[in-house]
Amino acid sequence: MHKQPPLTFRQLHLPYPKHGIIGHRGLASQAPENTKASFIAAATAGLSWVEFDIQPCASGEWVVFHDETLSRMGHGSKRIRECQLHDLQSLDIGSWFNPMFTNERILSLNEVLPLLSQLRLHPNIEVKLFDNEDSLLMANLAIELGSLIQAHWPDQSTAPALVSSFSYPFLTAMRAQYPDCPIGYLVEGFNEQKIEIATAASFNTLHADKKSLVTYLDKHDIKSQLPIFCYTVNDAPTAKRLFDKGISAIFSDKAKLFG
C-alpha cells in the first residue's frame, strides 16, 4: 500500500487518494458505472476519490456518461451529443448491470459535484470529446466547464477538482483559461516523451494505461516530479508493483486491493 503522499499533491492543494486508489467511474465493480449508486458504493467502501466521465449533450448540459453512444446500455446507437438532457434522464442505465439498479439515471455534472461533496469524495472529472477539436470550440468548452465547476463544486477553493482528458487541445485551452486548475493528461502508450509534453504544457498529473506503464517500468525507473496515475488496475500484485516503482495513484474498479 502507498503510504507516503507525494509532496506535489500538497502543492496542488489536492488531498491524497486513500491507499492511492481512485474509484473508476465511481466503483464500477459494485454498481453501474458513473451513477449515483456507483458513487455511493465508492464512499461506502472507504474510498476518498472517484473518477467519472462527462460530455456535453444536445441541450448544452454536461452529462456524466462514458461512451459516445447509448448502445452499450441497450438504448440504440444515438450519440449523447445528439440527445436532449430530459430524454437522456428518462433512460434506465442500471438494469444492464443488475436488475436491482433499474432506477439509475444519467446525471448532470451539476448534480454530481454537490453529491460528491456530501459523500466526501474528491472528483477527477474526465472530459470525453468526440467532435472536431477546433480551437474556438475548445476555448468555449473550457470556459463553460470551469464556470460550472466553480459554481457547483463546494470545495473548489480549498481542494480543487482535477480535470483530465485525452484531448490535448482541450487541456491546453483549460490551462489558458484557468491557470490554477489541476489538470491531468490522459495517454495511451506511456513513454518519457509524454512526461515532457505534460510538463511543457504545465499539466499537473499524467494518467497512463496499465499495459504500457508496466512494460516501461520493467526496464526503466520513473524520473519525474510529475505525479503519474495508472488506469485501470484491479489486482493487488500489479498495484503494489506500480507503487514500489513510484506511481502516485491508480484507478480501480475495486476498493479492497490491500489487506
Side-chain angles (χ1 to χ4, degrees):
M1 165 186 323
H2 199 44
K3 296 181 179 180
Q4 297 298 324
L7 176 62
T8 313
F9 277 83
R10 294 198 292 275
Q11 293 172 337
L12 291 172
H13 307 292
L14 292 176
Y16 188 70
K18 187 176 180 180
H19 304 317
I21 298 174
I22 300 172
H24 182 232
R25 304 180 193 173
L27 192 59
S29 66
Q30 299 299 311
E33 63 188 53
N34 288 326
T35 62
K36 182 177 182 179
S38 195
F39 300 133
I40 291 173
T44 302
L47 294 180
S48 62
W49 275 61
V50 287
E51 173 267 355
F52 60 96
D53 308 280
I54 65 166
Q55 56 185 294
C57 67
S59 48
E61 296 87 355
W62 290 84
V63 295
V64 180
F65 200 81
H66 176 273
D67 295 0
E68 183 177 8
T69 74
L70 293 159
S71 59
R72 188 159 58 93
M73 307 300 180
H75 297 294
S77 60
K78 199 167 185 180
R79 301 170 71 209
I80 298 296
R81 196 72 180 91
E82 300 168 340
C83 300
Q84 302 286 321
L85 178 64
H86 64 84
D87 292 327
L88 291 171
Q89 293 194 319
S90 69
L91 301 175
D92 158 28
I93 61 162
S95 60
W96 69 272
F97 184 89
N98 188 300
M100 69 182 288
F101 295 109
T102 298
N103 291 325
E104 292 300 317
R105 297 289 183 262
I106 293 176
L107 301 170
S108 70
L109 179 63
N110 299 11
E111 295 172 302
V112 167
L113 291 176
L115 171 65
L116 296 185
S117 182
Q118 293 169 13
L119 294 172
R120 299 182 182 275
L121 291 170
H122 194 82
N124 175 183
I125 306 169
E126 181 180 336
V127 178
K128 310 291 286 189
L129 296 173
F130 304 99
D131 292 324
N132 178 33
E133 297 182 345
D134 71 84
S135 57
L136 179 59
L137 173 62
M138 294 300 101
N140 289 339
L141 289 175
I143 291 170
E144 181 182 304
L145 177 59
S147 298
L148 286 173
I149 293 172
Q150 290 175 340
H152 296 283
W153 175 238
D155 306 314
Q156 185 65 11
S157 61
T158 56
L162 175 62
V163 175
S164 65
S165 183
F166 283 101
S167 171
Y168 179 84
F170 174 79
L171 294 181
T172 55
M174 195 77 188
R175 171 56 72 234
Q177 297 295 333
Y178 300 97
D180 298 325
C181 176
I183 288 178
Y185 182 32
L186 272 153
V187 300
E188 289 183 306
F190 177 85
N191 55 45
E192 292 181 5
Q193 184 181 20
K194 302 294 174 61
I195 298 176
E196 294 170 0
I197 291 171
T199 302
S202 298
F203 299 153
N204 304 108
T205 58
L206 181 67
H207 306 180
D209 65 288
K210 179 180 68 174
K211 181 179 180 180
S212 69
L213 197 51
V214 168
T215 300
Y216 179 90
L217 292 173
D218 280 339
K219 299 179 180 180
H220 308 87
D221 292 327
I222 295 292
K223 297 177 181 178
S224 171
Q225 296 300 310
L226 196 71
I228 296 175
F229 298 177
C230 183
Y231 65 90
T232 303
V233 182
N234 288 324
D235 66 285
T238 301
K240 183 180 185 305
R241 181 181 176 192
L242 289 166
F243 286 137
D244 288 346
K245 285 286 191 174
I247 299 307
S248 295
I250 61 172
F251 299 93
S252 183
D253 298 314
K254 300 180 179 180
K256 304 299 182 184
L257 288 181
F258 306 100

